[in-house]
Amino acid sequence: MQQLKPEQTPERGMWSSRFGFLMAAVGSAVGLGNLWKFPYLAGENGGGAFVLVYVGLVVILGFTLMLAELSIGRHTNSDAYGAYNKLKKGWGFIGGFGILAGFLILSYYSVVGGWVLKYVVASITGVGADKAGYFTNFITSSVEPVLYHLLFMGITAFIVIRGVSGGIEKAVKIVMPALFIMLMVIVLRSVTLEGASEGLKYYLTPNFSEITLKVFVAALGQVFFSLSLGMGCMVTYGSYLSKQEDLEKDALLIPSLDSLVAIMAGFAILPAVFAFGFAPGEGPGLMFITLPAVFESMPLGTIFSLIFFILVFFAAISSSISLMEVTVAFGIDRLKWSRKVSVLVFTTVMFVIGIGASLSMGAWSDFLIPWIDGNSYGIFDFLDVVTSYYLLPLGGLLSALFIGFVWGVPNAVKEIKTGGNFRTEKLWSVLIKYIVPILVFVILLSTTGLLDKIIG
Ligand code: TRP
């Protein structure tokens, strides 16, 4: 047991081991973003072209911002809002943005988590011959998906109530390694399917003419989403870390493992898409439609399907608990609520927003919300678009600027160095102060369509 500092009250908690923290951070990062979103985004955005841009952005942004958030968190031992406010009075709003983003993300994330639970059940009952039809029927119905959403939200709350080391850490230590092994098995099956080579080619050969601004925008949002960056999630997780932790190593390891899983998920899904004659641009249904087809083609498919969707569910839960922890830490630290009250209040509100997201797939599909990019979105898409493409990159941009020009790079460097030597100090200093803000700013501008007008 580590000595608790005054700020580390039992109500806050702390990681009990380095492995536990790493699995929790990787568990936060690896989730539906990798297994569900990444393959379909790659499928919609030119396959290899998307993968290339994605990996490039992870290398530049992933490491830099991961290290930034972890150092802010550990230095302040606070929730996302309190962390920024402690470093400079009046700057808590950066964390506040993040808390709002996490709140909105979990509201629809939990709906997709519910779909996964449904597919755990469907692995046994079977999805029939028309895989696409089965999926569409399910998500557009009004009652069943909401009940699964409630179940997913409830399980998340149940774990978060148990606290940092007792609940979160215990669960992820088993789940993450198991997921990895299972994914490997499915990749092997998928790439050896007859007709898989078309998919492999699509996935692995970047067609440079397809690298458009749109691909950059999609990849940027996905980098933030998949790495759990831009909303203070890693600030919060970093706040439960000891001073001996080597943050630089963590900031290299977490994005690497996360990208590995995302790329493996692409290998699991895209070859199968081509082998079974589906279209790669299928969108959010991709995983739910193609994987059942893959499993059907395997001996013992039912069992594989069952195990796989259970693991996807665990991956989703280890992410959803991190999303919830951000809001809950805010409730505990700022509002002085107990962990229990915090969890119950936030869960209820997120559940209600999620009902809207779920219904927007069917009954409420005509209800559209206009957004500054000139489009109107259903509730589900609205929550996704506003958070992934606007709030998270904006949060990342602000946190980089905050370190560069408010808290100061030397202070951050000092914090990072308490846990070990910092080999990439010079590089990181330039990245966080100049490169990352400029890169994110330019892509953000183009997201709203402003850049088109500026460049002419
Ligand atoms: N990274 C998770 C995923 O890929 C989702 C997630 C968890 C997240 N915590 C986050 C996204 C914080 C953005 C910010 O599924």
Side-chain angles (χ1 to χ4, degrees):
M1 195 56 200
Q2 262 135 343
Q3 200 65 39
L4 293 181
K5 284 178 277 171
E7 309 91 287
Q8 283 160 338
T9 58
E11 203 64 40
R12 295 201 85 238
M14 202 173 173
W15 305 115
S16 67
S17 70
R18 172 173 152 83
F19 182 69
F21 158 71
L22 275 178
M23 286 302 103
V26 173
S28 164
V30 173
L32 296 172
N34 310 56
L35 303 164
W36 162 70
K37 240 183 171 188
F38 182 85
Y40 89 71
L41 284 175
E44 279 176 340
N45 291 286
F50 179 83
V51 177
L52 185 72
V53 173
Y54 180 81
V55 171
L57 288 178
V58 168
V59 171
I60 300 172
L61 300 172
F63 164 69
T64 313
L65 288 170
M66 184 69 67
L67 191 49
E69 287 202 16
L70 290 176
S71 64
I72 291 175
R74 189 180 60 182
H75 188 78
T76 53
N77 293 118
S78 289
D79 68 296
Y81 174 88
Y84 288 96
N85 217 32
K86 240 185 207 177
L87 293 173
K88 196 84 182 178
K89 263 243 144 342
W91 288 78
F93 72 91
I94 300 181
F97 259 134
I99 292 160
L100 177 71
F103 200 83
L104 298 176
I105 292 173
L106 188 48
S107 301
Y108 83 93
Y109 199 88
S110 163
V111 172
V112 184
W115 299 352
V116 174
L117 279 173
K118 163 75 181 179
Y119 271 67
V120 170
V121 177
S123 297
I124 304 167
T125 56
V127 301
D130 181 7
K131 313 266 181 287
Y134 182 88
F135 177 70
T136 312
N137 267 340
F138 167 63
I139 64 165
T140 53
S141 60
S142 296
V143 178
E144 213 189 345
V146 173
L147 293 179
Y148 278 108
H149 157 56
L150 175 64
L151 184 60
F152 186 89
M153 206 73 215
I155 298 170
T156 305
F158 181 80
I159 297 176
V160 176
I161 280 187
R162 284 176 160 56
V164 175
S165 61
I168 303 180
E169 199 175 330
K170 255 198 201 125
V172 292
K173 275 204 277 206
I174 305 163
V175 164
M176 298 320 292
L179 175 73
F180 195 78
I181 295 167
M182 191 66 197
L183 196 52
M184 229 136 61
V185 173
I186 294 164
V187 168
L188 279 181
R189 169 70 273 208
S190 184
V191 298
T192 53
L193 283 168
E194 195 164 338
S197 61
E198 263 316 292
L200 285 173
K201 214 187 292 155
Y202 178 74
Y203 189 45
L204 294 177
T205 3
N207 178 351
F208 288 93
S209 68
E210 289 192 67
I211 301 185
T212 57
L213 214 53
K214 179 172 163 271
V215 173
F216 268 91
V217 170
L220 182 81
Q222 177 61 10
V223 167
F224 279 97
F225 188 90
S226 189
L227 293 176
S228 307
L229 288 173
M231 59 148 293
C233 190
M234 292 300 168
V235 172
T236 308
Y237 271 23
S239 79
Y240 307 127
L241 268 177
S242 88
K243 287 289 178 195
Q244 284 88 46
E245 184 71 19
D246 187 336
L247 299 183
E248 185 189 32
K249 257 198 210 131
D250 296 344
L252 283 169
L253 198 63
I254 300 163
S256 306
L257 286 174
D258 184 71
S259 305
L260 186 65
V261 173
I263 288 171
M264 280 171 68
F267 275 115
I269 290 169
L270 286 170
V273 167
F274 285 80
F276 292 113
F278 295 115
E282 195 84 51
L286 199 63
M287 176 180 98
F288 295 98
I289 296 167
T290 59
L291 283 185
V294 176
F295 290 123
E296 223 170 58
S297 75
M298 294 167 76
L300 300 177
T302 309
I303 294 172
F304 275 113
S305 175
L306 183 64
I307 300 174
F308 178 74
F309 279 110
I310 289 176
L311 289 172
V312 175
F313 160 69
F314 281 134
I317 278 283
S318 62
S319 300
S320 66
I321 54 187
S322 77
L323 284 160
M324 189 180 280
E325 182 62 23
V326 175
T327 17
V328 167
F330 174 76
I332 294 172
D333 290 349
R334 277 332 97 191
L335 308 174
K336 304 292 174 208
W337 292 350
S338 71
R339 182 169 276 276
K340 209 176 201 161
V341 169
S342 242
V343 170
L344 291 179
V345 170
F346 289 130
T347 300
T348 307
V349 184
M350 288 191 264
F351 170 64
V352 171
I353 300 176
I355 295 177
S358 184
L359 290 179
S360 74
M361 293 287 161
W364 289 5
S365 61
D366 289 339
F367 176 69
L368 299 175
I369 308 167
W371 180 242
I372 50 173
D373 62 4
N375 296 319
S376 293
Y377 299 98
I379 300 175
F380 184 98
D381 291 340
F382 182 82
L383 292 170
D384 181 17
V385 167
V386 170
T387 53
S388 304
Y389 300 114
Y390 295 90
L391 287 180
L392 296 178
L394 186 64
L397 174 64
L398 290 173
S399 68
L401 291 174
F402 179 83
I403 289 191
F405 300 95
V406 182
W407 187 31
V409 173
N411 285 323
V413 166
K414 207 158 99 201
E415 175 61 35
I416 295 163
K417 278 185 170 167
T418 62
N421 45 18
F422 185 12
R423 276 144 298 172
T424 55
E425 178 184 336
K426 291 233 161 56
L427 176 67
W428 183 78
S429 306
V430 177
L431 282 169
I432 194 74
K433 194 161 180 176
Y434 304 107
I435 314 273
V436 166
I438 292 170
L439 186 66
V440 176
F441 183 70
V442 169
I443 304 180
L444 250 180
L445 268 190
S446 63
T447 307
T448 53
L450 280 178
L451 201 64
D452 301 351
K453 291 176 200 137
I454 294 169
I455 297 175

